[in-house]
Amino acid sequence: TQSTRPQRLLAAVHKKATRGNPRSVVKAIDEFCNQNEWAMNVGNEKGEILDSVVSETNPGCVLELGTYCGYSTVRIASLLPPHAQLITLEFNPDNAAVARQVIAWAGVAEKVRLVEGESGEWIPKMKEQFGVKTFDLVFLDHWKNRYLLDTKLMEECGLLKKGSVLLADNVVCPGAPDYLEYIRNSPQYKSQFFKSHLEYTKAEDGLEKSVFLG
Ligand SMILES: CCCNc1ncnc2c1ncn2[C@@H]1O[C@H](/C=C/CNC(=O)c2cc(-c3ccc(F)cc3)cc(O)c2O)[C@H](C)[C@H]1O
Ligand SMILES: [Mg+2]
């Protein structure tokens, strides 16, 4: 039977990346997407902005919405301090299966909890199921029309504290207009736009970093 793009991406990781080396996994995926098939990973240019936000936030507890193949999961996990935890939500079982193997190959599985399920269902369960108090950093990279809804849900569930950082991918392309409108006009957030390019292309894109003011 025909393989899927995530399965071909995973095959490239197994073939080209060194087991236990997260940077080599990131490099193998970027090479695959530049040379073989485009895929909607955050990519290296925006990935370097993601890396700098993770490093400056030095988070103990991170949430990622939209694991896909685990590219940004591996980038984030590889920068986390020793006992920090990254919870990543992915509701497509085929994507989750590929992501688990990418995360394992990178050697960052002990820092990552991949939850196979929908953000709307699992955000309200974070405290009771995983003992989360608040998230220091949230990376939004799932369906763009769900960024705003899930941000409001995180607020309602008391999952953000003063200083919590939201980093949203694709605020230009494909865009998340309702999210940008809300977050840039809310007195509860201080936002900053990082201009960049759509992964593996010359098209314009960018990340929006928003600090919750409490
Ligand atoms: C209702 C469930 C909500 N809750 C959810 N809960 C859990 N998991 C969820 C939820 N909603 C979605 N997911 C999962 O997250 C992933 C979805 C990721 C979505 N990303 C994009 O659409 C995108 C497009 C482009 C793009 C740019 C230019 C183009 F020309 C084409 C494409 C670029 C980019 O960087 C992009 O990230 C994964 C596929 C999907 O199963
Ligand atoms: Mg994206």
Side-chain angles (χ1 to χ4, degrees), residues 42 46-54 72 76 139 167 207:
V42 74
K46 289 188 288 178
E48 286 175 357
I49 299 167
L50 170 63
D51 292 352
S52 63
V53 172
V54 173
S72 47
I76 295 167
F139 182 53
L167 187 66
L207 299 166

Side-chain angles (χ1 to χ4, degrees), residues 27-205:
K27 185 167 175 285
I29 294 172
D30 285 333
E31 278 177 7
F32 173 78
C33 293
N34 274 309
Q35 294 161 18
N36 305 79
E37 299 184 63
W38 187 91
M40 57 183 171
N41 317 117
V42 74
N44 198 49
E45 187 180 314
K46 289 188 288 178
E48 286 175 357
I49 299 167
L50 170 63
D51 292 352
S52 63
V53 172
V54 173
S55 301
E56 75 183 17
T57 310
N58 198 29
C61 189
V62 185
L63 175 65
E64 175 179 61
L65 300 176
T67 316
Y68 188 40
C69 296
Y71 174 92
S72 47
T73 320
V74 167
R75 276 197 95 112
I76 295 167
S78 71
L79 295 173
L80 292 183
H83 305 291
Q85 273 294 310
L86 165 56
I87 297 172
T88 184
L89 301 185
E90 173 54 58
F91 78 155
N92 177 301
D94 301 323
N95 294 340
V98 165
R100 286 190 202 289
Q101 295 182 73
V102 169
I103 291 159
W105 195 265
V108 294
E110 80 286 348
K111 288 185 182 292
V112 176
R113 182 186 286 264
L114 195 162
V115 177
E116 203 171 307
E118 203 182 305
S119 52
E121 183 201 330
W122 282 93
I123 286 172
K125 292 179 183 170
M126 283 296 152
K127 294 188 182 229
E128 72 186 273
Q129 292 287 332
F130 306 118
V132 170
K133 287 190 189 57
T134 53
F135 289 111
D136 304 302
L137 173 66
V138 182
F139 182 53
L140 298 94
D141 195 21
H142 58 331
W143 296 152
K144 310 313 160 192
N145 64 4
R146 297 296 296 249
Y147 282 16
L148 179 54
L149 196 76
D150 287 339
T151 295
K152 288 184 172 173
L153 188 55
M154 287 187 284
E155 290 172 9
E156 284 156 27
C157 296
L159 287 165
L160 304 178
K161 71 174 186 308
K162 187 171 167 36
S164 291
V165 173
L166 302 187
L167 187 66
D169 189 26
N170 311 113
V171 295
V172 174
C173 176
D178 61 341
Y179 173 79
L180 278 190
E181 158 82 20
Y182 172 78
I183 208 92
R184 287 175 174 172
N185 296 307
S186 166
Q188 287 195 295
Y189 293 91
K190 175 91 181 71
S191 287
Q192 189 182 357
F193 174 64
F194 291 83
K195 188 175 166 60
S196 186
H197 294 94
L198 177 69
E199 52 265 27
Y200 318 117
T201 77
K202 292 183 171 35
E204 294 220 347
D205 193 11

